[in-house]
Amino acid sequence: MITHASWKKSSFSGGGEGNDCVEVADLDTHIAVRDSKDPARTPLTFPTTAFAPFLQALKGTPAPGTHAF
């Protein structure tokens, strides 16, 4: 479990009561992502250099030199 992280909710986490939230933490060498409805579960972690290509792949626009999933 990542306990020392400062988690931030995504600005795109949905309306209403914000029940569909994704939280992100910037760690020393990694970015962690978790579901705010279940913060005790193990988050996904990405090397810092892989996070931007991951986001671009989710949007369907691969980073230069990479491929979409």
Side-chain angles (χ1 to χ4, degrees), residues 36-59:
S36 65
K37 294 184 301 292
D38 197 357
R41 291 188 67 157
T42 304
L44 297 173
T45 58
F46 301 87
T48 303
T49 57
F51 192 64
F54 169 72
L55 291 179
Q56 288 179 322
L58 289 176
K59 294 176 185 178

Side-chain angles (χ1 to χ4, degrees), residues 7-12 22-34 43-63 66-67 69:
W7 293 95
K8 298 176 182 137
K9 285 190 181 181
S10 168
S11 60
F12 295 98
V22 172
E23 295 178 323
V24 178
D26 187 359
L27 308 174
D28 292 333
T29 60
H30 287 75
I31 302 293
V33 180
R34 72 179 182 185
L44 297 173
T45 58
F46 301 87
T48 303
T49 57
F51 192 64
F54 169 72
L55 291 179
Q56 288 179 322
L58 289 176
K59 294 176 185 178
T61 56
T66 63
H67 301 283
F69 297 107

